């Protein structure tokens, strides 16, 4: 259920006195000797009055702290807002990083949800700073009211008008602000899909949402229904999805510019609800399992963003959609299934289902011989044990893995490179099939990556005599965002409670880098 709401974001060089907004936001940092008011366009007397009052007001400069004050005489905004940006870092132009500005802007908009319009008087003397504020504010302008009982709650929107005050002219900031809007829309679309309850989002409706969201674009979409999956031998999707009355789907979404500089295939795990199947989860482990399609939501949003940004990179998204349910038609432990392409897997645990549908998608994506395959999945609980709830794990071919991590740093997201040890595949041996789907418990995130790597096809031009097995494969990376994809704790920065949209910005940044 992708919302059509889009906040209006503009960057203007008007005098702050002329800006008509419900709230005017200033930044406060944690300095070595107490709170510090960041550079802003207020008149000297007004700025000094605010600065001298910081400690009395209880301002600390800590990230996410927000204080509301009456508006300043001579300015149109009824409310003056002080938002914390964290510690001063020594960065030029105000001593704060772009990510600190992004977080502060997002936090302010999120906490000012009752306002219709917000203006930011944060340090914005560079295009990078303007872009960070615009993006953070647009990310913070999010809610998900679609299933509320009253019409007033359902139609309630967050901050609708966002203004970034800067000395730069519009011709210098226009493209950066427009990009921020596209990126924020992609993140919001991902959050919307993740937050949609499984009663309303299932493989068929997910495919319908993707098609509806592609209207008005040049994206090409193909959907495999249950019968077509059977005919073509997608055993992973069928094995996982056959336990549900709502049958699986495979969706291919393509952005195809006329002269692409590269072709990247993105494969997303789309388990619309995960009970564990016959290997049933405890009830308290199911309460957030609508999130298990976050990988597919991410991929769909990134391909749409690539089209909206007109990136010169061909991007194909493969959404592996299934609902994992227990029933008389569900796959059983010790069943053997045939993945698309011919490899067989002995299913020892039906709750290790994501790797099965992803294997189908990786093989299908590889048939087109892309320059790289990147899969995105809420794959293992082990990811949360290893890296926590805010850091995404990235594994795979060294160069591609490092490029994704570098893109995450540029985007302001936390992704961490992880290895695939030589012994990681050793727990997947089967006496009756090529592999089992259940490796060793220790290092579970790394082991799952090793399993997926077995399904990455060879490059069309691989020299089998000169290269080892790994070098022959299409460059591939695996992104495990099991914990960071969903925030079931308090909101923070520009991240709401619920679906986070993590990794969307990283993948957009990565694709943009290929086009430079």
């Amino acid at each position: 259920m992708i919302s059509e709401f889009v906040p209006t974001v503009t960057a203007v060089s008007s005098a702050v006195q002329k800006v008509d907004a419900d709230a005017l936001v200033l930044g406060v940092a944690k300095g070595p000797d107490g709170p510090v008011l960041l550079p802003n366009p207020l008149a000297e007397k007004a700025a000094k009055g605010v600065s001298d009052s910081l400690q009395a007001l209880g301002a600390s400069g800590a990230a996410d702290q927000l204080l509301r004050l009456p508006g300043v005489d001579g300015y149109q905004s009824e409310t003056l807002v002080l938002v914390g940006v964290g510690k001063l870092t020594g960065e030029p132009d105000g001593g704060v990083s772009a990510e600190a500005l992004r977080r502060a802007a997002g936090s302010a908009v999120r906490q000012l949800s009752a306002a219709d319009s917000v203006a930011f008087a944060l340090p914005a003397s560079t295009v990078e700073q303007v872009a960070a504020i615009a993006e953070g504010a647009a990310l913070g302008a999010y809610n998900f009211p679609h299933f509320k009982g009253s019409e007033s709650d359902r139609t309630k929107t967050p901050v609708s008008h966002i203004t970034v005050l800067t000395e730069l002219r519009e011709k210098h900031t226009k493209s950066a602000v427009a990009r921020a809007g596209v990126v924020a829309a992609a993140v919001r679309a991902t959050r919307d899909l993740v937050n949609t309850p499984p009663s309303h989002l299932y493989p068929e409706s997910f495919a319908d949402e993707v098609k509806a969201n592609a209207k008005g674009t040049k994206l090409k979409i193909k959907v495999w229904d249950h019968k077509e999956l059977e005919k073509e031998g997608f055993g992973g999707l069928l094995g996982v999805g056959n336990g549900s009355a709502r049958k699986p789907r495979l969706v291919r979404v393509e952005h195809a510019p006329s002269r692409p500089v590269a072709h990247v295939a993105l494969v997303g795990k789309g388990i619309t609800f995960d009970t564990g199947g016959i290997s049933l989860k405890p009830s308290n482990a199911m309460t957030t399992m609508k999130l298990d399609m976050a990988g597919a939501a991410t991929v769909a949003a990134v391909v749409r963003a690539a089209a909206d940004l007109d990136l010169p990179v061909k991007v194909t998204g493969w959404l592996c959609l299934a609902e994992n349910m227990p029933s008389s038609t569900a796959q059983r432990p010790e069943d053997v299934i045939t993945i698309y392409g011919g490899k067989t897997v002995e299913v020892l645990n039906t709750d290790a289902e994501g790797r099965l549908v992803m294997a189908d998608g990786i093989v299908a994506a590889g048939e087109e011989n892309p320059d790289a395959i990147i899969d995105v999945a809420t794959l293992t609980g082990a990811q949360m044990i290893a890296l926590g709830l805010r850091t995404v794990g990235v594994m795979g071919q060294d160069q591609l893995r490092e490029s994704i991590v570098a893109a995450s740093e540029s985007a302001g997201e936390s992704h961490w490179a992880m290895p695939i040890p030589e012994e990681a595949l050793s727990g997947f041996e089967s006496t009756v099939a090529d592999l089992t789907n259940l490796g060793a418990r220790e290092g579970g995130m790394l082991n799952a990556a090793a399993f997926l790597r077995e399904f990455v096809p060879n490059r069309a031009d691989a020299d089998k005599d000169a290269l080892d097995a790994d070098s022959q494969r299409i460059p591939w990376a695996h992104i495990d965002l099991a914990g960071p994809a969903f925030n079931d704790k308090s909101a923070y920065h520009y991240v709401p409670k619920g679906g986070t949209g993590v990794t969307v910005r990283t993948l957009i940044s990565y694709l943009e880098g290929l086009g430079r």
Side-chain angles (χ1 to χ4, degrees), residues 283-294:
S283 59
N284 62 357
M286 289 191 212
T287 52
T288 59
M289 281 299 101
K290 67 180 182 180
L291 71 81
D292 217 12
M293 37 56 67

Side-chain angles (χ1 to χ4, degrees), residues 150-358:
S150 71
E151 184 178 357
S152 60
D153 285 339
R154 286 196 306 273
T155 57
K156 182 181 179 181
T157 59
V159 175
S160 300
H161 303 283
I162 296 163
T163 304
V164 182
L165 299 174
T166 177
E167 297 176 0
L168 300 174
R169 294 185 178 181
E170 183 183 3
K171 66 180 181 180
H172 298 302
T173 61
K174 185 176 181 180
S175 62
V177 170
R179 177 195 180 274
V182 171
V183 171
V187 173
R188 284 198 307 275
T190 304
R191 292 172 178 174
D192 282 348
L193 287 169
V194 173
N195 289 332
T196 300
S199 53
H200 291 69
L201 191 73
Y202 43 92
E204 183 178 4
S205 67
F206 195 140
D208 290 342
E209 284 286 342
V210 173
K211 288 189 288 187
N213 193 45
K215 288 182 178 178
T217 73
K218 295 181 180 179
L219 293 175
K220 298 177 182 178
I221 297 177
K222 179 178 179 180
V223 179
W224 284 258
D225 63 17
H226 185 253
K227 291 183 179 179
E228 290 168 316
L229 293 173
E230 285 184 330
K231 181 179 179 181
E232 297 188 31
F234 286 92
L237 281 159
L238 293 167
V240 174
N242 273 346
S244 173
R246 305 192 291 193
K247 296 305 180 184
R249 296 289 188 276
L250 177 65
V251 181
R252 181 184 183 277
V253 189
E254 177 187 271
H255 163 61
S258 58
R259 294 182 179 178
V261 298
H263 175 194
V264 176
L266 305 175
V267 182
K269 175 186 173 184
I271 303 299
T272 56
F273 193 77
D274 183 18
T275 67
I278 295 294
S279 306
L280 197 66
K281 294 177 184 290
S283 59
N284 62 357
M286 289 191 212
T287 52
T288 59
M289 281 299 101
K290 67 180 182 180
L291 71 81
D292 217 12
M293 37 56 67
T298 299
V299 168
V302 170
V303 181
R304 168 66 192 263
D308 289 344
L309 294 170
D310 197 22
L311 298 184
V313 180
K314 180 179 179 179
V315 188
T316 49
W318 298 82
L319 317 182
C320 306
L321 310 178
E323 186 176 57
N324 191 22
M325 299 287 286
S327 74
S328 62
T329 58
Q331 65 181 355
R332 298 158 290 253
E334 298 191 323
D335 278 358
V336 173
I337 63 174
T338 302
I339 300 297
Y340 182 72
K343 284 189 178 179
T344 57
V345 178
E346 182 184 11
V347 179
L348 295 184
N349 187 329
T350 64
D351 196 22
E353 85 297 331
R355 62 200 64 182
L356 302 178
V357 301
M358 294 295 281

Side-chain angles (χ1 to χ4, degrees), residues 18 30 47 52 80 158 194 212 215 285 287 352 359 380 451 453 455:
K18 297 180 180 180
K30 293 180 70 174
D52 290 346
L80 183 68
V194 173
K215 288 182 178 178
T287 52
T380 66
F451 175 90
R453 185 176 59 187
F455 297 90

